[in-house]
C-alpha cells in the first residue's frame, strides 16, 4: 500500500473535488448570512436603516419622474398610492446569493473584489428601480401590484443575481491575451 506524500495530499481532495468545495463554501456563507440576517435585533438596527435609505432614494427617483411622492420612514406616499418597504424588499438576499457565489469561487482576490463591487451595485440600483416601478404600478395598475411584487420582480432578481454571477465568472476565468 502506497502512503500519499505531503505533496499529493495538498493537491488531493480540494483540487479533485472543486464543485464540492464551491458548494460547501457557498452553503456555509448562506448559512452565516441567514444567521446574521434573521435575528430581530439585526433587522431593527441595520436593515431598517437600509430600507429607509431605499425609500429615500426611490422617492427621489419618483419625484424626478414627476410623481409627487413623499417619504416618511419606510413608506412612500402620494395622493394616489402609498407603499411601505419591508424586510425582503431590501434586495439583501439576492446580494447575498451573488456575493456567496463570487466569494466561494476560486479566483484572484482582485477579481472577486471587482465582481462584488460591480454586482452589488447593479443589484442595489435595480432594487431602487424595482421600488419605483412598483409604486408606479400601484398608481396605474393596482390590480397587477401583487403579481409584479411577488412574482415578476422576485423572478427578475433571481435571474439577475445568477446572470451577474455568470458574467463575472466568465470574466474572472478569462485568461489575459498575450501581446
Amino acid at each position: 500500500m502506497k502512503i500519499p506524500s505531503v505533496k499529493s495530499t495538498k493537491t488531493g481532495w480540494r483540487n479533485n473535488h472543486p464543485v464540492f468545495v464551491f458548494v460547501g463554501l457557498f452553503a456555509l456563507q448562506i448559512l452565516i448570512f441567514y444567521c446574521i440576517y434573521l435575528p430581530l435585533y439585526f433587522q431593527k438596527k441595520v436593515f431598517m436603516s437600509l430600507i429607509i435609505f431605499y425609500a429615500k432614494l426611490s422617492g427621489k427617483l419618483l419625484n424626478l419622474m414627476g410623481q409627487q411622492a413623499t417619504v416618511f420612514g419606510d413608506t412612500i406616499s402620494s395622493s394616489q398610492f402609498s407603499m411601505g418597504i419591508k424586510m425582503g424588499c431590501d434586495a439583501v438576499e439576492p446580494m447575498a446569493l451573488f456575493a456567496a457565489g463570487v466569494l466561494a469561487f476560486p479566483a484572484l482576490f482582485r477579481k472577486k473584489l471587482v465582481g462584488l463591487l460591480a454586482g452589488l451595485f447593479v443589484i442595489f440600483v435595480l432594487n431602487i428601480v424595482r421600488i419605483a416601478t412598483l409604486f408606479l404600478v400601484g398608481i396605474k395598475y393596482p390590480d397587477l401590484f401583487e403579481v409584479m411584487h411577488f412574482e415578476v420582480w422576485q423572478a427578475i432578481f433571481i435571474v439577475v443575481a445568477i446572470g451577474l454571477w455568470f458574467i463575472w465568472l466568465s470574466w474572472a476565468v478569462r485568461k489575459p491575451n498575450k501581446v
Side-chain angles (χ1 to χ4, degrees):
M1 179 175 174
K2 184 178 177 183
I3 298 174
S5 68
V6 173
K7 183 178 181 184
S8 66
T9 57
K10 282 186 177 179
T11 61
W13 198 88
R14 184 176 180 144
N15 287 339
N16 290 330
H17 305 298
V19 173
F20 291 120
V21 173
F22 172 80
V23 170
L25 287 172
F26 181 86
L28 178 63
Q29 290 175 83
I30 294 300
L31 178 68
I32 292 169
F33 163 75
Y34 279 112
C35 286
I36 293 169
Y37 182 70
L38 292 177
L40 196 55
Y41 173 81
F42 202 74
Q43 288 175 23
K44 287 182 178 181
K45 295 293 181 185
V46 176
F47 290 107
M48 196 61 198
S49 298
L50 178 62
I51 287 170
I52 290 169
F53 186 59
Y54 271 125
K56 288 178 182 176
L57 291 177
S58 300
K60 288 183 187 294
L61 176 60
L62 286 163
N63 287 327
L64 286 173
M65 297 168 64
Q67 300 298 314
Q68 300 299 320
T70 58
V71 176
F72 182 75
D74 64 353
T75 303
I76 305 171
S77 301
S78 74
S79 60
Q80 300 166 302
F81 186 71
S82 182
M83 176 177 86
I85 303 171
K86 304 297 178 204
M87 183 182 157
C89 298
D90 51 20
V92 173
E93 289 172 293
M95 287 180 181
L97 289 172
F98 173 75
V102 169
L103 293 172
F105 191 80
L108 295 174
F109 176 76
R110 180 183 58 81
K111 289 190 174 191
K112 288 182 182 189
L113 184 61
V114 169
L116 286 172
L117 292 174
L120 295 177
F121 178 75
V122 168
I123 295 170
F124 179 83
V125 170
L126 183 63
N127 197 45
I128 295 166
V129 170
R130 178 185 75 91
I131 293 167
T133 58
L134 285 173
F135 190 84
L136 294 172
V137 166
I139 291 171
K140 305 275 187 198
Y141 308 101
D143 293 343
L144 293 177
F145 181 84
E146 296 296 319
V147 170
M148 290 297 293
H149 183 238
F150 291 112
E151 294 174 30
V152 174
W153 272 109
Q154 296 262 353
I156 289 171
F157 266 95
I158 291 168
V159 169
V160 166
I162 293 169
L164 284 171
W165 184 77
F166 277 114
I167 291 167
W168 170 81
L169 180 64
S170 68
W171 174 76
V173 299
R174 187 179 321 137
K175 302 232 188 268
N177 293 335
K178 292 184 180 180
V179 179

